[in-house]
C-alpha cells in the first residue's frame, strides 16, 4: 500500500490506461515535467506486485536509477522487493518482484523471461536493444515521456495516453509560470544539421560552439544576468565543454558563484555541486545537457545559450525551470540562442499522435510548422520580453511599436563596461565568499601551512564588517575576486611587519 494518493491528473492517466488495458499491449504515457510520472509508475507497480506479478523499470541515466529507487521507497513500495540491474548497485537479485535497471546495462545482458510489466522512463531516448525487447517479447509495456516526438515511437507503442498538457498544469498551479526574454539572436546561417542521440536532428555542435563562444555573446550573457537575473538560482545550458567553461569563467570573473557540470563530472562531484546550489553557495550551474532530466532542484532562472531546432531538447531543458517551489512566482528564461523564434513557447508544442505508426505525425508536423510561423512569439524591442503573437502593446513595459514597424527584429545588444558603483552583497553572495575562504583554508592545510578558523572569520569580517554567523562551511573553489582580496590582506600584513 502506497503512502501517497494520486493527484487529479494522475487519476485521469490511471483511468485512461485501465480503460484500454485489455485492448493494447504497449502504451506511451505522454505527460510534461511536474506531472509525476515516477509516482504513476510506482502506483502501477504497487498494483502489479499485489497480484504477485513482476515489474521492471528501465531508466536511461544512472541518476534516474538512484532517484527512482529512492522515490519508490518513499512512496511506500517494499524495499526488500527491489533488485537492481546495474553493476554498481546492490542487491542484484533477479527473484525480487521489482527490478530497476540501467538501460545501458540491461541491453548488454539477456533480458529476463519472467517480467510481466516493463516500464520505460524517458522513452524517447533510443536504445536499439530495448526496442527489440518491446517489439518481440510479448509483455506489457508502458513508456513514459514528456516529449514523445521521436519519429520511430509509433512503431513500438500502440496507444498514446495523454492525460494532461503543460499549459493545463501551469493553469492549475502544478507547474510554474514563466517569462521569456530574448537578449541575443545569433546568426546561424550556414550551420549544418546532424543527428544527435535522444534529440533527433539538430545543429552541428562544433559549428555552434564557434559562433556561441565568442567574447561578445558570452559577455552579453553575463551582462544580461547581472542586470536582469535578480540573483535567482540559475542553470545555464551550453553547446559543449569549452563553451561552458568559458561562460563559467566569465561569471566567476564578474563575482558570481558559478560551477560547471558536464558528462564526465563524477557522480559525487555532481551531488556536491547540486548541494551547494541548493544551499545558495553556488548561484549558477553551467552545464552541457546533463541537467536535462533527473534534476529537481529549485530553479528560478534559465539561461539558454545553445541554439536548437529540436523540440525534444527545447522542452526537456526548459522544463527544469518549471517545477513549482515555495515562494516561487515564475521562472525567468533568457534565450540567447534565438530558439524561441524558431520553436515558440514550450506549452504550445503539442502532438496528438506518435510518429512511425503512420505518416500522420509527419503531415501534422509540417502543417503545425506552417501554423507556428504565424503563432511564434514576438519580441518587444524595448525590453526584450517575448509577447504572444498578435499582442500589440507589450504587457511587461507598455511599449507600443510604431505603425508598420517589424517587431521580430535582431535582438543582439552591444557590450558596455560594467558599472563601478558600490556593490551591494546579498546573503547568497556572502555565503559564496565564506565557502571560498573555507576552501582556501583547506588548500593551505593540505600544503602544510594551516590557517585557523579565527583567521577565516576575521577575513570575512574585514570584507563585510560582520561575522559569518549561520553560514554553511561547505567549501567552494576560490574564485579570482576572493583570492585577490586574500592576497591583498597578506600583502598588507607583510608591509605592516616590515614597518615594525
Amino acid at each position: 500500500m502506497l503512502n501517497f494518493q494520486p493527484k487529479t491528473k494522475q487519476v485521469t492517466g490511471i483511468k485512461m490506461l485501465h480503460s484500454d488495458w485489455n485492448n493494447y499491449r504497449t502504451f506511451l504515457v505522454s505527460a510534461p515535467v511536474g506531472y509525476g510520472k515516477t509516482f504513476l509508475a510506482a502506483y502501477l507497480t504497487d498494483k502489479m506486485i499485489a497480484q504477485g506479478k513482476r515489474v521492471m523499470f528501465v531508466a536511461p541515466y544512472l541518476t534516474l536509477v538512484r532517484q527512482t529507487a529512492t522515490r519508490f521507497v518513499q512512496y511506500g513500495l517494499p524495499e526488500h522487493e527491489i533488485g537492481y540491474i546495474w553493476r554498481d548497485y546492490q542487491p542484484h537479485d533477479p527473484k525480487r518482484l521489482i527490478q530497476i535497471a540501467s538501460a545501458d546495462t540491461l541491453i548488454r545482458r539477456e533480458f529476463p523471461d519472467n517480467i510481466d510489466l516493463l516500464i520505460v522512463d524517458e522513452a524517447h531516448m533510443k536504445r536499439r536493444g530495448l526496442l527489440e525487447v518491446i517489439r518481440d517479447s510479448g509483455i506489457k509495456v508502458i513508456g513514459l515521456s514528456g516529449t514523445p516526438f521521436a519519429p520511430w515511437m509509433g512503431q513500438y507503442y500502440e496507444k498514446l495516453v495523454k492525460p494532461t498538457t503543460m499549459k493545463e498544469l501551469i493553469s492549475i498551479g502544478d507547474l510554474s509560470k514563466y517569462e521569456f526574454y530574448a537578449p541575443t539572436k545569433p546568426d546561424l546561417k550556414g550551420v549544418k544539421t546532424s543527428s544527435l542521440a535522444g534529440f533527433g536532428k539538430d545543429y552541428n555542435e562544433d559549428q555552434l560552439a564557434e559562433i556561441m563562444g565568442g567574447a561578445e555573446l558570452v559577455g552579453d550573457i553575463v551582462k544580461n544576468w547581472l542586470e536582469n537575473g535578480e540573483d535567482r538560482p540559475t542553470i545555464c545550458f551550453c553547446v559543449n565543454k569549452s563553451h561552458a567553461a568559458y561562460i563559467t569563467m566569465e561569471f566567476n570573473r564578474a563575482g558570481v558563484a558559478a560551477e560547471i557540470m558536464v558528462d564526465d563530472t563524477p557522480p559525487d562531484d555532481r551531488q556536491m555541486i547540486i548541494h551547494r546550489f541548493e544551499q545558495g553557495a553556488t548561484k549558477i550551474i553551467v552545464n552541457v545537457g546533463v541537467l536535462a532530466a533527473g534534476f529537481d532542484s529549485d530553479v528560478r532562472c534559465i539561461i539558454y545559450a545553445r541554439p536548437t531546432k529540436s523540440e525534444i531538447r527545447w522542452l526537456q531543458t526548459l522544463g527544469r525551470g518549471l517545477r513549482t517551489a515555495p515562494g516561487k512566482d515564475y521562472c525567468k528564461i533568457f534565450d540567447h540562442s534565438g530558439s524561441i523564434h524558431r520553436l515558440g513557447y514550450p506549452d504550445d508544442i503539442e502532438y496528438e499522435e506518435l510518429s512511425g505508426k503512420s505518416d500522420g505525425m509527419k503531415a501534422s508536423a509540417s502543417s503545425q510548422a506552417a501554423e507556428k510561423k504565424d503563432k511564434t512569439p514576438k519580441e518587444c524591442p524595448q525590453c526584450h520580453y517575448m509577447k504572444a503573437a498578435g499582442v500589440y502593446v507589450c504587457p511587461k513595459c507598455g511599449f507600443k511599436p510604431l505603425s508598420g514597424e517589424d517587431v521580430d527584429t535582431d535582438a543582439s545588444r552591444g557590450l558596455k563596461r560594467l558599472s563601478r558603483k558600490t556593490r551591494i552583497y546579498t546573503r547568497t553572495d556572502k555565503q559564496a565568499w565564506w565557502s571560498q575562504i573555507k576552501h582556501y583554508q583547506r588548500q593551505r592545510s593540505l600544503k602544510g601551512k594551516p590557517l585557523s578558523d579565527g583567521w577565516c572569520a576575521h577575513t570575512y569580517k574585514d570584507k563585510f564588517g560582520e561575522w559569518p554567523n549561520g553560514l554553511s562551511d561547505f567549501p567552494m573553489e576560490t574564485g579570482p575576486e576572493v583570492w585577490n582580496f586574500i592576497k591583498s590582506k597578506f600583502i598588507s600584513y607583510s608591509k605592516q611587519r616590515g614597518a615594525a
Side-chain angles (χ1 to χ4, degrees):
M1 177 67 73
L2 298 185
N3 302 325
F4 295 80
Q5 293 298 315
K7 296 187 291 187
T8 302
K9 292 302 172 181
Q10 292 168 339
V11 171
T12 300
I14 292 166
K15 289 181 177 179
M16 293 173 73
L17 283 168
H18 184 265
S19 65
D20 281 318
W21 191 254
N22 295 323
N23 300 327
Y24 301 94
R25 182 178 68 85
T26 60
F27 299 83
L28 192 290
V29 177
S30 172
V33 59
Y35 172 76
K37 294 185 285 293
T38 304
F39 175 81
L40 181 68
Y43 183 92
L44 297 170
T45 299
D46 182 59
K47 297 302 180 185
M48 294 293 287
I49 66 173
Q51 304 171 45
K53 295 184 177 181
R54 305 170 63 82
V55 178
M56 177 177 286
F57 184 99
V58 183
Y61 306 116
L62 301 184
T63 53
L64 290 178
V65 173
R66 293 190 181 94
Q67 184 173 291
T68 301
T70 301
R71 294 280 177 83
F72 273 16
V73 174
Q74 289 175 345
Y75 292 146
L77 291 175
E79 188 171 6
H80 66 273
E81 285 292 359
I82 299 178
Y84 301 92
I85 302 178
W86 177 31
R87 58 182 177 82
D88 294 332
Y89 238 47
Q90 295 294 331
H92 173 63
D93 185 354
K95 295 180 181 179
R96 299 193 177 194
L97 293 179
I98 305 170
Q99 300 291 314
I100 301 178
S102 159
D104 291 329
T105 301
L106 180 65
I107 61 179
R108 290 194 295 265
R109 302 181 182 182
E110 186 174 349
F111 192 83
D113 59 2
N114 59 354
I115 300 298
D116 298 293
L117 174 63
L118 174 64
I119 302 177
V120 182
D121 195 21
E122 304 293 340
H124 58 276
M125 300 291 291
K126 187 176 180 179
R127 298 290 193 282
R128 182 174 298 178
L130 191 56
L131 295 182
E132 291 173 353
V133 170
I134 296 173
R135 182 189 63 199
D136 302 333
S137 65
I139 65 177
K140 284 279 187 183
V141 180
I142 296 177
L144 306 174
S145 176
T147 53
F149 312 146
W152 46 266
M153 298 191 77
Q155 296 287 343
Y156 300 90
Y157 295 98
E158 302 167 304
K159 179 64 176 178
L160 176 64
V161 176
K162 191 174 178 181
T164 188
T165 64
M166 181 180 288
K167 193 180 294 292
E168 184 175 34
L169 291 184
I170 292 174
S171 69
I172 64 178
D174 283 354
L175 280 181
S176 169
K177 297 178 181 179
Y178 62 81
E179 286 188 355
F180 254 102
Y181 294 82
T184 307
K185 189 179 178 183
D187 183 2
L188 301 178
K189 291 178 182 178
V191 177
K192 296 180 180 179
T193 299
S194 56
S195 295
L196 298 173
F199 299 110
K201 297 282 188 180
D202 207 350
Y203 291 114
N204 179 275
E205 291 187 350
D206 292 336
Q207 290 181 301
L208 278 184
E210 290 182 13
I211 294 172
M212 299 303 294
E216 184 175 345
L217 276 174
V218 171
D220 189 34
I221 289 171
V222 175
K223 175 178 178 289
N224 179 73
W225 190 90
L226 289 171
E227 293 178 351
N228 305 301
E230 300 176 343
D231 208 37
R232 291 170 175 249
T234 302
I235 53 176
C236 175
F237 291 95
C238 299
V239 178
N240 60 15
K241 295 176 185 177
S242 60
H243 184 216
Y246 189 26
I247 288 179
T248 304
M249 178 180 66
E250 290 301 303
F251 269 117
N252 286 328
R253 283 179 176 174
V256 180
E259 295 192 74
I260 186 172
M261 187 186 297
V262 294
D263 55 358
D264 54 3
T265 302
D268 290 343
D269 289 354
R270 292 191 190 192
Q271 292 305 310
M272 286 298 295
I273 292 171
I274 292 172
H275 177 78
R276 290 192 287 268
F277 179 77
E278 292 176 341
Q279 295 297 313
T282 295
K283 182 56 59 179
I284 300 175
I285 300 180
V286 183
N287 82 106
V288 185
V290 294
L291 298 181
F295 178 71
D296 298 337
S297 301
D298 182 2
V299 176
R300 306 195 179 197
C301 180
I302 287 179
I303 299 171
Y304 199 80
R306 195 242 184 259
T308 184
K309 57 174 61 175
S310 166
E311 292 178 327
I312 295 177
R313 185 191 295 275
W314 185 237
L315 291 186
Q316 290 283 330
T317 51
L318 297 187
R320 300 311 101 197
L322 299 184
R323 292 186 180 276
T324 57
K328 182 176 180 179
D329 47 0
Y330 59 90
C331 178
K332 275 195 167 186
I333 302 174
F334 300 134
D335 177 24
H336 291 265
S337 70
S339 299
I340 182 68
H341 297 282
R342 286 184 294 273
L343 302 176
Y345 290 120
D347 52 335
D348 283 341
I349 301 174
E350 296 289 346
Y351 293 109
E352 303 301 329
E353 292 180 296
L354 294 175
S355 179
K357 182 178 180 180
S358 65
D359 59 1
M361 181 173 270
K362 286 188 177 181
S364 174
S366 61
S367 63
Q368 288 191 20
E371 279 186 23
K372 197 172 292 180
K373 187 172 183 180
D374 296 326
K375 294 184 178 180
T376 52
K378 303 297 180 183
E379 178 188 346
C380 172
Q382 185 73 19
C383 71
H384 305 285
Y385 178 73
M386 298 305 296
K387 59 183 182 177
V391 175
Y392 180 68
V393 179
C394 177
K396 196 66 180 175
C397 71
F399 178 77
K400 297 179 181 180
L402 297 174
S403 177
E405 181 177 354
D406 182 6
V407 181
D408 187 9
T409 57
D410 187 346
S412 58
R413 292 183 287 180
L415 291 177
K416 294 181 180 179
R417 186 182 295 272
L418 291 175
S419 171
R420 291 186 177 272
K421 293 180 181 178
T422 302
R423 179 175 173 184
I424 300 174
Y425 288 90
T426 65
R427 181 171 176 81
T428 300
D429 295 326
K430 294 176 181 179
Q431 173 65 72
W433 265 75
W434 179 242
S435 294
Q436 291 177 64
I437 292 170
K438 296 299 287 184
H439 179 270
Y440 179 80
Q441 180 193 32
R442 172 181 289 188
Q443 294 302 108
R444 286 279 301 233
S445 180
L446 292 174
K447 294 177 181 179
K449 300 178 180 180
L451 294 169
S452 68
D453 291 339
W455 179 91
C456 293
H458 277 89
T459 299
Y460 179 92
K461 190 172 187 294
D462 288 344
K463 174 65 179 177
F464 297 109
E466 61 187 52
W467 299 107
N469 297 327
L471 297 180
S472 170
D473 286 341
F474 278 101
M476 181 173 69
E477 186 173 356
T478 307
E481 185 183 11
V482 178
W483 162 244
N484 287 335
F485 182 81
I486 293 172
K487 185 178 179 181
S488 66
K489 184 180 173 72
F490 279 127
I491 292 173
S492 177
Y493 177 71
S494 297
K495 288 181 178 180
Q496 290 175 7
R497 288 189 64 184

